[in-house]
Amino acid sequence: MHAKFTEEERAFQQSVREFMQREYTPELAAKIRHPESFKAGMIEWQKKLDAKGWAANGWPVEHGGCDWSATQKSIYVNEMAFAGAPDVVPMGIKMVGPVLYSFGSDEQKKRFLPPTKSSDIWWCQGYSEPGAGSDLAALQTRAVRDGDDYIVSGTKIWTTYAQHADWIFCLVRTSSEGKPQEGISFLLIDMTSPGISVSPIISIDDEHHLNEVSFTDVRVPVENRIGEENKGWTYAKALLTYERTALSGVGYCKRTLKRIRELAAQESHGGRPLLADPDFQAQLADVEMEVTSLEYLELRVLNAVDKGGAPGMESSLLKLKGSDCQQAVQTLFWNVAAAYGGVLPDEDHGIHSGHEFGNVARREYMFGRATTIYGGSNEVQRNIIAKFGLGL
């Protein structure tokens, strides 16, 4: 690994940058920002990426992935972030996709991988339950065998974008014998199946990302089970390592830090630009150093995967440090807005108090409180690092 790009890497960077500038139009950005058109906008964007061959860039080449180096993957993610463009919705391509091509049958790969890559199937994740979050092995959603079907009953919670999803990949209990982890299976469930209901959960940022999904005697064909019965915990752990690796947020942090610098140069503090304040400079420098360290950790992990490895304990390091960095960046962003951190419209007079960017900073700060919880809480990640990294 080298800190400087080669000529080929600079050419690749330029091609990615030009693609983002050309294809991620202001009209598409506005469509994605609006809740009513979000799904349509994301499908349009992912189809553009798929047509370019970039949507599932981390997949094996035989399934439509890109033979990119760790440096190329990093360039791609950073250029996408700097353009303000969203990555693909992760539940399909970055989560269930690797499980399918690693553990699925040939028929399952043929049936699900192409439409997942092209965004013709939208997925959601059925892991957490009201009584099983960080302690996921305590899940109680049951799947009882009935001939060629399972009958599924139970409740999943914090299910992101379930209101948009066509399918849900779900952990279910198929046995109560032995250790809790040994009785779990991995099912793919059609969200249009009779007996499924979706209830919205409005989060602290006043958005509808999350849902509660209930299953009442839902019939699921046995052929929709990934791998062996009662071996779902193995597949779930593999999925979580890929999920956590994708949660580092390096590109987001770098783009937001760049914006913070620009805004701090404009904001006044004590008669001078906020960027000139020594205390603010120290805070900004501390966060920038942490993000740089995170970026090189991510590159080391990607480089190891390039050489045939798999993201193991290192994925927990990325998730742990990445969520801390994202929250630090979000706190700094909101601090730039200071007392003007919210936009308050006055419909009678057409007046807005506060900064326009302050409302964005406030919402990102609020949503960001969840980064240390989803994908496995930071407390769980520390235990994983202690056990598998330090041997404690």
Side-chain angles (χ1 to χ4, degrees):
M1 291 176 60
H2 302 280
K4 293 184 178 179
F5 292 154
T6 65
E7 183 176 343
E8 292 77 12
E9 288 165 348
R10 286 195 297 271
F12 175 74
Q13 181 185 41
Q14 184 62 31
S15 70
V16 175
R17 185 172 297 173
E18 290 174 354
F19 175 85
M20 296 296 166
Q21 292 172 346
R22 180 177 66 253
E23 301 296 340
Y24 191 64
T25 62
E27 294 77 16
L28 179 55
K31 183 184 292 188
I32 290 173
R33 283 196 299 267
H34 197 285
E36 296 298 322
S37 54
F38 166 76
K39 181 178 180 179
M42 285 302 300
I43 290 175
E44 179 181 341
W45 176 231
Q46 188 163 319
K47 284 187 177 297
K48 287 186 176 187
L49 294 174
D50 187 42
K52 185 68 174 177
W54 291 351
N57 56 77
W59 287 11
V61 173
E62 61 266 30
H63 295 303
C66 301
D67 189 20
W68 285 352
S69 67
T71 302
Q72 286 176 303
K73 292 174 184 175
S74 177
I75 288 171
Y76 174 78
V77 170
N78 282 312
E79 289 301 322
M80 179 176 283
F82 286 137
D87 202 350
V88 295
V89 177
M91 280 73 76
I93 286 179
K94 296 191 175 184
M95 294 166 69
V96 75
V99 172
L100 281 163
Y101 64 65
S102 299
F103 305 107
S105 66
D106 289 341
E107 177 59 32
Q108 288 168 338
K109 294 175 188 177
K110 181 180 179 181
R111 179 182 179 187
F112 290 110
L113 285 177
T116 296
K117 184 169 67 74
S118 64
S119 199
D120 290 322
I121 291 181
W122 260 49
W123 293 90
C124 62
Q125 179 187 34
Y127 274 27
S128 295
E129 298 182 3
S134 295
D135 182 17
L136 186 56
L139 66 89
Q140 294 300 314
T141 295
R142 302 196 66 83
V144 179
R145 185 73 177 261
D146 181 30
D148 292 333
D149 293 335
Y150 288 105
I151 308 300
V152 178
S153 296
T155 301
K156 298 295 182 178
I157 201 167
W158 314 125
T159 311
T160 304
Y161 298 143
Q163 75 271 32
H164 299 309
D166 305 302
W167 285 75
I168 182 171
F169 53 94
C170 217
L171 293 183
V172 297
R173 183 159 300 287
T174 43
S175 174
S176 298
E177 298 179 2
K179 294 181 180 179
Q181 294 91 336
E182 294 174 354
I184 294 172
S185 296
F186 195 110
L187 293 185
L188 311 179
I189 304 176
D190 187 337
M191 287 291 285
T192 64
S193 303
I196 297 179
S197 63
V198 178
S199 302
I201 299 173
I202 306 303
S203 54
I204 194 173
D205 61 350
D206 200 33
E207 294 286 348
H208 178 196
H209 312 283
L210 307 171
N211 302 272
E212 182 178 83
V213 181
S214 297
F215 302 87
T216 304
D217 297 332
V218 178
R219 283 195 168 270
V220 181
V222 172
E223 66 184 24
N224 287 5
R225 186 189 69 222
I226 297 292
E228 299 179 50
E229 187 172 272
N230 299 329
K231 298 296 183 182
W233 189 253
T234 299
Y235 316 137
K237 288 192 297 182
L239 183 150
L240 285 170
T241 61
Y242 286 101
E243 177 186 4
R244 290 163 184 164
T245 303
L247 293 176
S248 63
V250 170
Y252 162 80
C253 288
K254 291 176 68 175
R255 174 172 59 88
T256 307
L257 283 170
K258 180 176 182 291
R259 189 177 187 190
I260 287 171
R261 276 192 168 275
E262 294 169 349
L263 292 169
Q266 302 169 15
E267 290 299 301
S268 178
H269 179 71
R272 59 181 176 178
L274 176 60
L275 191 59
D277 179 74
D279 289 338
F280 181 82
Q281 288 177 348
Q283 294 173 37
L284 181 58
D286 284 344
V287 177
E288 287 177 333
M289 286 188 291
E290 291 294 321
V291 171
T292 299
S293 298
L294 174 67
E295 181 177 17
Y296 277 87
L297 172 61
E298 182 178 64
L299 284 170
R300 285 198 296 272
V301 173
L302 291 173
N303 192 52
V305 172
D306 279 351
K307 295 177 179 178
M313 179 272 297
E314 292 80 5
S315 68
S316 290
L317 281 170
L318 280 174
K319 197 277 175 180
L320 175 67
K321 197 62 186 175
S323 58
D324 286 343
C325 283
Q326 289 172 66
Q327 288 187 349
V329 168
Q330 289 157 355
T331 299
L332 197 61
F333 188 18
W334 202 4
N335 285 345
V336 173
Y340 303 100
V343 178
L344 304 175
D346 184 332
E347 295 181 359
D348 293 331
H349 302 91
I351 298 172
H352 288 71
S353 63
H355 295 299
E356 288 292 342
F357 74 83
N359 195 41
V360 175
R362 175 183 60 81
R363 294 167 76 90
E364 290 189 4
Y365 176 90
M366 288 180 170
F367 180 76
R369 299 310 90 192
T371 57
T372 51
I373 301 172
Y374 60 62
S377 71
N378 280 15
E379 291 78 8
V380 169
Q381 305 316 310
R382 291 187 177 94
N383 286 338
I384 293 172
I385 294 166
K387 181 177 180 179
F388 296 103
L390 304 177
L392 300 178

